[in-house]
Amino acid sequence: MHIASSIQKVVCQLLLLYLFSCSVDGETKGATQLTNQNIDLTLASHELVFINFYAEWCRFSNLLQPIFDEAADKVREAFPDAGKVVMGKVDCDKENAVASRFHVTKYPTLKVIVNGQPTKREYRGQRSVEAFVEFVKKQLEDPIKEFHSLRDLETLDDKKRIIIGYFDRRDQNPEYTNFRRVATNLKDDCQFHVGFGDVVAQMHPPGHPIVVFRPDVAISNENDETFDGSLSNFDELMVWVQTKCMPLVREITFENAEELTEEGLPFLILFHAPDDYDSIKDFKAIVETQLIGEKQNINFLTADGKRFAHPLHHLGKSQSDLPLIAIDSFRHMYLFPRFKDIYQPGKLKQFLADLYSGKLHREFHYGPDPDSNAVDQGNDDDKRPTSPPESTFRKLAPSKNRYTLLRDEL
């Protein structure tokens, strides 16, 4: 009876997948229409799902739709294997539940789902057939680089956070399958490398693959760490790698600035010269030892002062003043008086406390508080209101009052 029931269950699942294949993969034109009825199966059965959330009344959605449909046809031709990729579309007026589930509030919005999990970044690249196809191809590239000698590991970038796998063979399942799924999801946050067979035999017991985290030693004081959980458990491996690839102190770039601003937390930013790794390492060490309790309230970031020269200009500073530290509250930017003071225990924490208490903003309007420990209390200049510039990083956040697609993007 139990065997018959199991067979019946398998047959039902195969039939469901067949029907799905006919209704989704069997379509020959345009992006696949996704609804509340078929979206879960779509996400579960494809490695990559690229979704256009649109509204029929939206002019920009109507402009984008034929471009996205043509790209979907080309992607279907390039990747005909079932379960690889699907480009889908959601009519947000008809599918309110789906739009709400994915937090869509403006149209068109382009979301990327990898192994059933939404990526941190929406697609905000060029809206053209060629750009969409190239983006999909890039997403489907193998996220793991294979090394063929342990000496190859000596040349890896010591400014990057790296996950290294040592396996007997590529078909070692489910361990390697889980490793690859994790790498696919987190390839934007870490580099992933793997070795097989005799190349790595001395690095792990036979039949027992291991995964190791190698930190960005040039700019941090962290140590190597070996995953001690079960590689057969995808969720366990995913959580561990995520904590290693997404450190307390992150680098802000023009590519991730919008994503970071969407998190809604004020920035504490170290602006540094491109080759100043010592300041980065010291800043990270101080944050990790003295400010870890503030991680729910502040985004700790480092920024290349050459690339982000514009915020420096707003602070009245230039590259010759680096390194320096500032808070961007999304209203104003406040400069930490002297970089060298970070080495005095409690100084940087007090700077944050002054933000929370409103002191920094209050002094912006009324000058230093009466009990403020100014350097020269007798100097009348210290009692004048300060003039911190407006936030510059706020301008990098996505606007709530415009469509995802601008007129000049088409």
Short mmCIF file of all heavy atoms in Angstrom, two decimals, residues 347-399:
data_model
loop_
_atom_site.label_atom_id
_atom_site.label_comp_id
_atom_site.label_asym_id
_atom_site.label_seq_id
_atom_site.Cartn_x
_atom_site.Cartn_y
_atom_site.Cartn_z
N LYS A 347 35.78 57.06 21.12
CA LYS A 347 35.60 58.27 20.35
C LYS A 347 34.61 58.09 19.20
O LYS A 347 33.71 58.90 18.98
CB LYS A 347 36.94 58.76 19.80
CG LYS A 347 37.77 59.57 20.78
CD LYS A 347 37.19 60.97 20.94
CE LYS A 347 38.13 61.86 21.75
NZ LYS A 347 37.61 63.25 21.85
N LEU A 348 34.78 57.00 18.44
CA LEU A 348 33.91 56.77 17.31
C LEU A 348 32.50 56.42 17.79
O LEU A 348 31.50 56.82 17.18
CB LEU A 348 34.48 55.64 16.44
CG LEU A 348 34.11 55.64 14.95
CD1 LEU A 348 34.36 56.99 14.31
CD2 LEU A 348 34.87 54.55 14.21
N LYS A 349 32.41 55.69 18.90
CA LYS A 349 31.10 55.35 19.45
C LYS A 349 30.37 56.61 19.92
O LYS A 349 29.15 56.73 19.76
CB LYS A 349 31.26 54.36 20.61
CG LYS A 349 29.94 53.78 21.08
CD LYS A 349 30.16 52.58 21.97
CE LYS A 349 28.83 51.91 22.30
NZ LYS A 349 29.01 50.67 23.09
N GLN A 350 31.10 57.56 20.49
CA GLN A 350 30.48 58.81 20.93
C GLN A 350 29.98 59.61 19.72
O GLN A 350 28.93 60.27 19.79
CB GLN A 350 31.48 59.65 21.72
CG GLN A 350 30.90 60.94 22.30
CD GLN A 350 29.74 60.68 23.24
OE1 GLN A 350 29.85 59.85 24.16
NE2 GLN A 350 28.62 61.36 23.01
N PHE A 351 30.71 59.53 18.62
CA PHE A 351 30.28 60.20 17.38
C PHE A 351 28.90 59.67 16.95
O PHE A 351 28.01 60.45 16.57
CB PHE A 351 31.33 59.96 16.31
CG PHE A 351 31.12 60.72 15.02
CD1 PHE A 351 30.86 62.08 15.02
CD2 PHE A 351 31.23 60.07 13.80
CE1 PHE A 351 30.68 62.78 13.84
CE2 PHE A 351 31.06 60.76 12.61
CZ PHE A 351 30.78 62.12 12.63
N LEU A 352 28.72 58.35 17.04
CA LEU A 352 27.42 57.77 16.71
C LEU A 352 26.37 58.17 17.73
O LEU A 352 25.22 58.46 17.38
CB LEU A 352 27.52 56.24 16.64
CG LEU A 352 28.37 55.66 15.51
CD1 LEU A 352 28.36 54.14 15.56
CD2 LEU A 352 27.86 56.13 14.15
N ALA A 353 26.74 58.19 19.02
CA ALA A 353 25.80 58.58 20.07
C ALA A 353 25.32 60.02 19.84
O ALA A 353 24.14 60.33 20.09
CB ALA A 353 26.46 58.45 21.44
N ASP A 354 26.21 60.88 19.36
CA ASP A 354 25.82 62.26 19.08
C ASP A 354 24.84 62.34 17.91
O ASP A 354 24.00 63.25 17.85
CB ASP A 354 27.06 63.10 18.78
CG ASP A 354 27.93 63.34 20.01
OD1 ASP A 354 27.43 63.12 21.13
OD2 ASP A 354 29.12 63.72 19.85
N LEU A 355 24.94 61.38 16.99
CA LEU A 355 23.96 61.32 15.91
C LEU A 355 22.60 60.90 16.46
O LEU A 355 21.58 61.54 16.18
CB LEU A 355 24.42 60.33 14.84
CG LEU A 355 23.38 60.03 13.74
CD1 LEU A 355 23.18 61.24 12.84
CD2 LEU A 355 23.79 58.80 12.91
N TYR A 356 22.58 59.82 17.26
CA TYR A 356 21.32 59.31 17.80
C TYR A 356 20.62 60.34 18.68
O TYR A 356 19.39 60.48 18.65
CB TYR A 356 21.55 58.04 18.63
CG TYR A 356 22.26 56.92 17.91
CD1 TYR A 356 23.08 56.04 18.60
CD2 TYR A 356 22.12 56.74 16.54
CE1 TYR A 356 23.73 54.99 17.95
CE2 TYR A 356 22.78 55.71 15.88
CZ TYR A 356 23.58 54.84 16.59
OH TYR A 356 24.23 53.83 15.95
N SER A 357 21.39 61.07 19.49
CA SER A 357 20.80 62.03 20.44
C SER A 357 20.33 63.30 19.76
O SER A 357 19.63 64.12 20.37
CB SER A 357 21.83 62.39 21.51
OG SER A 357 22.90 63.16 20.96
N GLY A 358 20.70 63.47 18.51
CA GLY A 358 20.34 64.69 17.80
C GLY A 358 21.35 65.80 17.96
O GLY A 358 21.17 66.91 17.44
N LYS A 359 22.43 65.52 18.69
CA LYS A 359 23.42 66.57 18.96
C LYS A 359 24.05 67.08 17.67
O LYS A 359 24.23 68.30 17.50
CB LYS A 359 24.50 66.03 19.89
CG LYS A 359 25.57 67.06 20.24
CD LYS A 359 26.61 66.48 21.20
CE LYS A 359 27.69 67.51 21.52
NZ LYS A 359 28.72 66.97 22.42
N LEU A 360 24.39 66.19 16.75
CA LEU A 360 25.02 66.62 15.51
C LEU A 360 24.08 67.54 14.73
O LEU A 360 24.50 68.58 14.20
CB LEU A 360 25.41 65.42 14.66
CG LEU A 360 26.50 64.50 15.23
CD1 LEU A 360 26.77 63.34 14.26
CD2 LEU A 360 27.78 65.27 15.52
N HIS A 361 22.81 67.16 14.68
CA HIS A 361 21.85 67.98 13.96
C HIS A 361 21.57 69.29 14.71
O HIS A 361 21.40 70.35 14.11
CB HIS A 361 20.55 67.20 13.75
CG HIS A 361 19.56 67.90 12.87
ND1 HIS A 361 19.76 68.09 11.53
CD2 HIS A 361 18.36 68.49 13.17
CE1 HIS A 361 18.73 68.74 11.01
NE2 HIS A 361 17.87 69.00 11.98
N ARG A 362 21.51 69.20 16.04
CA ARG A 362 21.24 70.38 16.86
C ARG A 362 22.37 71.41 16.70
O ARG A 362 22.13 72.62 16.57
CB ARG A 362 21.12 69.96 18.32
CG ARG A 362 20.63 71.03 19.26
CD ARG A 362 20.17 70.44 20.58
NE ARG A 362 21.22 69.68 21.26
CZ ARG A 362 21.20 68.36 21.41
NH1 ARG A 362 20.21 67.63 20.91
NH2 ARG A 362 22.19 67.75 22.06
N GLU A 363 23.60 70.92 16.69
CA GLU A 363 24.73 71.83 16.53
C GLU A 363 24.77 72.43 15.12
O GLU A 363 25.33 73.51 14.91
CB GLU A 363 26.04 71.11 16.84
CG GLU A 363 26.18 70.76 18.32
CD GLU A 363 27.55 70.18 18.66
OE1 GLU A 363 28.25 69.75 17.73
OE2 GLU A 363 27.90 70.16 19.85
N PHE A 364 24.17 71.71 14.18
CA PHE A 364 24.04 72.25 12.83
C PHE A 364 23.23 73.56 12.86
O PHE A 364 23.54 74.53 12.16
CB PHE A 364 23.38 71.21 11.93
CG PHE A 364 22.76 71.76 10.68
CD1 PHE A 364 23.52 72.45 9.75
CD2 PHE A 364 21.41 71.57 10.42
CE1 PHE A 364 22.95 72.94 8.59
CE2 PHE A 364 20.83 72.06 9.27
CZ PHE A 364 21.60 72.75 8.35
N HIS A 365 22.18 73.59 13.69
CA HIS A 365 21.32 74.77 13.76
C HIS A 365 21.80 75.82 14.77
O HIS A 365 21.70 77.01 14.51
CB HIS A 365 19.90 74.35 14.12
CG HIS A 365 19.19 73.61 13.03
ND1 HIS A 365 18.78 74.22 11.86
CD2 HIS A 365 18.84 72.30 12.93
CE1 HIS A 365 18.19 73.32 11.07
NE2 HIS A 365 18.21 72.15 11.70
N TYR A 366 22.33 75.37 15.92
CA TYR A 366 22.57 76.30 17.02
C TYR A 366 24.02 76.40 17.47
O TYR A 366 24.32 77.13 18.42
CB TYR A 366 21.71 75.90 18.24
CG TYR A 366 20.25 75.78 17.89
CD1 TYR A 366 19.61 74.53 17.92
CD2 TYR A 366 19.49 76.89 17.52
CE1 TYR A 366 18.27 74.40 17.59
CE2 TYR A 366 18.15 76.78 17.20
CZ TYR A 366 17.54 75.52 17.23
OH TYR A 366 16.22 75.40 16.91
N GLY A 367 24.93 75.66 16.84
CA GLY A 367 26.31 75.68 17.29
C GLY A 367 26.52 74.67 18.40
O GLY A 367 25.59 74.01 18.86
N PRO A 368 27.77 74.51 18.87
CA PRO A 368 28.09 73.50 19.88
C PRO A 368 27.28 73.66 21.15
O PRO A 368 26.98 74.78 21.59
CB PRO A 368 29.59 73.73 20.14
CG PRO A 368 30.09 74.38 18.89
CD PRO A 368 28.95 75.22 18.39
N ASP A 369 26.87 72.51 21.76
CA ASP A 369 26.18 72.54 23.04
C ASP A 369 27.07 73.19 24.08
O ASP A 369 28.30 73.13 23.99
CB ASP A 369 25.83 71.12 23.48
CG ASP A 369 24.69 70.53 22.66
OD1 ASP A 369 24.09 71.29 21.87
OD2 ASP A 369 24.42 69.32 22.80
N PRO A 370 26.46 73.79 25.14
CA PRO A 370 27.26 74.43 26.20
C PRO A 370 28.28 73.50 26.84
O PRO A 370 29.34 73.92 27.26
CB PRO A 370 26.20 74.89 27.21
CG PRO A 370 24.96 75.04 26.39
CD PRO A 370 25.02 73.99 25.34
N ASP A 371 27.94 72.20 26.92
CA ASP A 371 28.86 71.25 27.56
C ASP A 371 29.75 70.55 26.56
O ASP A 371 30.45 69.59 26.88
CB ASP A 371 28.08 70.20 28.35
CG ASP A 371 27.16 69.38 27.45
OD1 ASP A 371 26.94 69.80 26.29
OD2 ASP A 371 26.66 68.33 27.92
N SER A 372 29.74 71.04 25.30
CA SER A 372 30.55 70.40 24.27
C SER A 372 32.02 70.60 24.55
O SER A 372 32.46 71.68 24.93
CB SER A 372 30.21 70.98 22.89
OG SER A 372 31.04 70.43 21.90
N ASN A 373 32.81 69.54 24.37
CA ASN A 373 34.25 69.61 24.62
C ASN A 373 34.98 70.10 23.38
O ASN A 373 35.69 69.36 22.71
CB ASN A 373 34.79 68.23 25.03
CG ASN A 373 34.23 67.79 26.36
OD1 ASN A 373 34.10 68.60 27.28
ND2 ASN A 373 33.89 66.50 26.46
N ALA A 374 34.76 71.34 23.06
CA ALA A 374 35.44 71.91 21.90
C ALA A 374 36.93 72.06 22.20
O ALA A 374 37.34 72.18 23.35
CB ALA A 374 34.85 73.28 21.55
N VAL A 375 37.71 72.10 21.17
CA VAL A 375 39.17 72.17 21.36
C VAL A 375 39.55 73.48 22.02
O VAL A 375 40.37 73.51 22.93
CB VAL A 375 39.88 72.04 19.99
CG1 VAL A 375 41.37 72.22 20.17
CG2 VAL A 375 39.59 70.68 19.39
N ASP A 376 38.94 74.60 21.57
CA ASP A 376 39.23 75.91 22.15
C ASP A 376 37.91 76.52 22.63
O ASP A 376 37.22 77.18 21.87
CB ASP A 376 39.88 76.84 21.12
CG ASP A 376 41.27 76.34 20.71
OD1 ASP A 376 42.06 76.05 21.62
OD2 ASP A 376 41.53 76.27 19.51
N GLN A 377 37.57 76.28 23.90
CA GLN A 377 36.29 76.74 24.39
C GLN A 377 36.17 78.25 24.35
O GLN A 377 35.08 78.80 24.29
CB GLN A 377 36.08 76.23 25.83
CG GLN A 377 35.88 74.73 25.93
CD GLN A 377 34.54 74.29 25.41
OE1 GLN A 377 33.67 75.11 25.17
NE2 GLN A 377 34.37 72.99 25.22
N GLY A 378 37.29 78.97 24.42
CA GLY A 378 37.23 80.42 24.47
C GLY A 378 37.11 81.06 23.10
O GLY A 378 36.97 82.27 23.00
N ASN A 379 37.16 80.30 22.05
CA ASN A 379 37.10 80.82 20.70
C ASN A 379 35.65 81.00 20.28
O ASN A 379 34.89 80.03 20.23
CB ASN A 379 37.82 79.86 19.75
CG ASN A 379 37.99 80.46 18.36
OD1 ASN A 379 37.27 81.39 17.98
ND2 ASN A 379 38.96 79.93 17.63
N ASP A 380 35.24 82.21 19.95
CA ASP A 380 33.86 82.46 19.58
C ASP A 380 33.47 81.71 18.31
O ASP A 380 32.30 81.40 18.10
CB ASP A 380 33.64 83.97 19.36
CG ASP A 380 33.65 84.73 20.68
OD1 ASP A 380 33.42 84.07 21.72
OD2 ASP A 380 33.89 85.95 20.66
N ASP A 381 34.46 81.41 17.47
CA ASP A 381 34.13 80.70 16.23
C ASP A 381 33.53 79.34 16.51
O ASP A 381 32.73 78.82 15.73
CB ASP A 381 35.40 80.53 15.36
CG ASP A 381 35.85 81.85 14.77
OD1 ASP A 381 35.01 82.79 14.76
OD2 ASP A 381 37.01 81.94 14.34
N ASP A 382 33.91 78.72 17.65
CA ASP A 382 33.41 77.40 17.98
C ASP A 382 31.93 77.43 18.35
O ASP A 382 31.28 76.40 18.43
CB ASP A 382 34.20 76.78 19.14
CG ASP A 382 35.61 76.44 18.74
OD1 ASP A 382 35.80 76.09 17.56
OD2 ASP A 382 36.51 76.52 19.59
N LYS A 383 31.40 78.64 18.63
CA LYS A 383 30.02 78.75 19.07
C LYS A 383 29.08 79.07 17.91
O LYS A 383 27.88 79.18 18.09
CB LYS A 383 29.90 79.82 20.16
CG LYS A 383 30.73 79.48 21.40
CD LYS A 383 30.67 80.59 22.43
CE LYS A 383 31.55 80.24 23.64
NZ LYS A 383 31.55 81.33 24.65
N ARG A 384 29.64 79.26 16.74
CA ARG A 384 28.80 79.53 15.59
C ARG A 384 28.19 78.23 15.08
O ARG A 384 28.80 77.18 15.18
CB ARG A 384 29.63 80.18 14.48
CG ARG A 384 30.19 81.53 14.86
CD ARG A 384 31.13 82.03 13.79
NE ARG A 384 31.78 83.26 14.19
CZ ARG A 384 32.81 83.80 13.54
NH1 ARG A 384 33.30 83.19 12.47
NH2 ARG A 384 33.35 84.92 13.97
N PRO A 385 26.98 78.32 14.51
CA PRO A 385 26.38 77.11 13.94
C PRO A 385 27.29 76.51 12.87
O PRO A 385 27.90 77.25 12.09
CB PRO A 385 25.07 77.63 13.34
CG PRO A 385 24.77 78.88 14.09
CD PRO A 385 26.11 79.49 14.42
N THR A 386 27.38 75.22 12.87
CA THR A 386 28.15 74.54 11.83
C THR A 386 27.30 74.42 10.58
O THR A 386 26.10 74.69 10.60
CB THR A 386 28.57 73.13 12.30
OG1 THR A 386 27.37 72.41 12.63
CG2 THR A 386 29.46 73.21 13.51
N SER A 387 27.90 74.05 9.49
CA SER A 387 27.17 73.96 8.22
C SER A 387 27.46 72.65 7.52
O SER A 387 28.14 72.62 6.49
CB SER A 387 27.55 75.14 7.31
OG SER A 387 27.23 76.36 7.93
N PRO A 388 26.98 71.53 8.08
CA PRO A 388 27.21 70.26 7.40
C PRO A 388 26.45 70.22 6.09
O PRO A 388 25.33 70.72 6.00
CB PRO A 388 26.66 69.23 8.40
CG PRO A 388 25.66 69.97 9.21
CD PRO A 388 26.18 71.37 9.31
N PRO A 389 27.04 69.68 5.04
CA PRO A 389 26.36 69.64 3.75
C PRO A 389 25.21 68.64 3.76
O PRO A 389 25.12 67.77 4.62
CB PRO A 389 27.48 69.17 2.80
CG PRO A 389 28.39 68.37 3.67
CD PRO A 389 28.35 69.05 5.02
N GLU A 390 24.34 68.79 2.77
CA GLU A 390 23.26 67.83 2.62
C GLU A 390 23.82 66.48 2.20
O GLU A 390 24.91 66.38 1.65
CB GLU A 390 22.27 68.33 1.57
CG GLU A 390 21.46 69.54 2.00
CD GLU A 390 20.37 69.88 1.00
OE1 GLU A 390 20.32 69.21 -0.05
OE2 GLU A 390 19.59 70.80 1.28
N SER A 391 23.02 65.45 2.47
CA SER A 391 23.42 64.09 2.10
C SER A 391 23.64 63.98 0.60
O SER A 391 22.84 64.48 -0.19
CB SER A 391 22.33 63.10 2.53
OG SER A 391 22.52 61.85 1.93
N THR A 392 24.73 63.35 0.23
CA THR A 392 24.96 63.08 -1.19
C THR A 392 24.53 61.66 -1.56
O THR A 392 24.11 61.41 -2.68
CB THR A 392 26.43 63.27 -1.57
OG1 THR A 392 27.24 62.45 -0.73
CG2 THR A 392 26.84 64.72 -1.40
N PHE A 393 24.62 60.74 -0.62
CA PHE A 393 24.27 59.35 -0.93
C PHE A 393 22.77 59.16 -1.04
O PHE A 393 22.30 58.22 -1.67
CB PHE A 393 24.86 58.41 0.12
CG PHE A 393 26.35 58.27 0.00
CD1 PHE A 393 27.20 59.05 0.76
CD2 PHE A 393 26.91 57.39 -0.90
CE1 PHE A 393 28.57 58.94 0.64
CE2 PHE A 393 28.28 57.27 -1.05
CZ PHE A 393 29.12 58.06 -0.26
N ARG A 394 21.99 60.07 -0.43
CA ARG A 394 20.54 59.99 -0.57
C ARG A 394 20.14 60.10 -2.03
O ARG A 394 19.17 59.49 -2.47
CB ARG A 394 19.90 61.12 0.24
CG ARG A 394 18.39 61.20 0.11
CD ARG A 394 17.83 62.36 0.92
NE ARG A 394 18.39 63.63 0.50
CZ ARG A 394 18.12 64.79 1.08
NH1 ARG A 394 17.33 64.83 2.13
NH2 ARG A 394 18.67 65.91 0.64
N LYS A 395 20.93 60.86 -2.80
CA LYS A 395 20.61 61.05 -4.21
C LYS A 395 20.83 59.78 -5.03
O LYS A 395 20.36 59.68 -6.16
CB LYS A 395 21.45 62.19 -4.78
CG LYS A 395 21.19 63.53 -4.07
CD LYS A 395 22.16 64.60 -4.54
CE LYS A 395 21.95 65.89 -3.75
NZ LYS A 395 22.93 66.93 -4.13
N LEU A 396 21.55 58.82 -4.46
CA LEU A 396 21.79 57.55 -5.17
C LEU A 396 20.69 56.54 -4.91
O LEU A 396 20.66 55.48 -5.51
CB LEU A 396 23.14 56.96 -4.75
CG LEU A 396 24.37 57.78 -5.11
CD1 LEU A 396 25.62 57.10 -4.57
CD2 LEU A 396 24.48 57.99 -6.60
N ALA A 397 19.77 56.87 -3.98
CA ALA A 397 18.68 55.95 -3.66
C ALA A 397 17.65 55.98 -4.78
O ALA A 397 17.51 56.97 -5.49
CB ALA A 397 18.02 56.36 -2.34
N PRO A 398 16.89 54.87 -4.94
CA PRO A 398 15.83 54.87 -5.95
C PRO A 398 14.71 55.82 -5.55
O PRO A 398 14.30 55.85 -4.40
CB PRO A 398 15.35 53.40 -5.95
CG PRO A 398 15.72 52.88 -4.61
CD PRO A 398 16.98 53.60 -4.22
N SER A 399 14.23 56.61 -6.48
CA SER A 399 13.16 57.55 -6.19
C SER A 399 11.83 56.82 -6.04
O SER A 399 11.54 55.87 -6.75
CB SER A 399 13.05 58.58 -7.32
OG SER A 399 11.89 59.37 -7.17
#
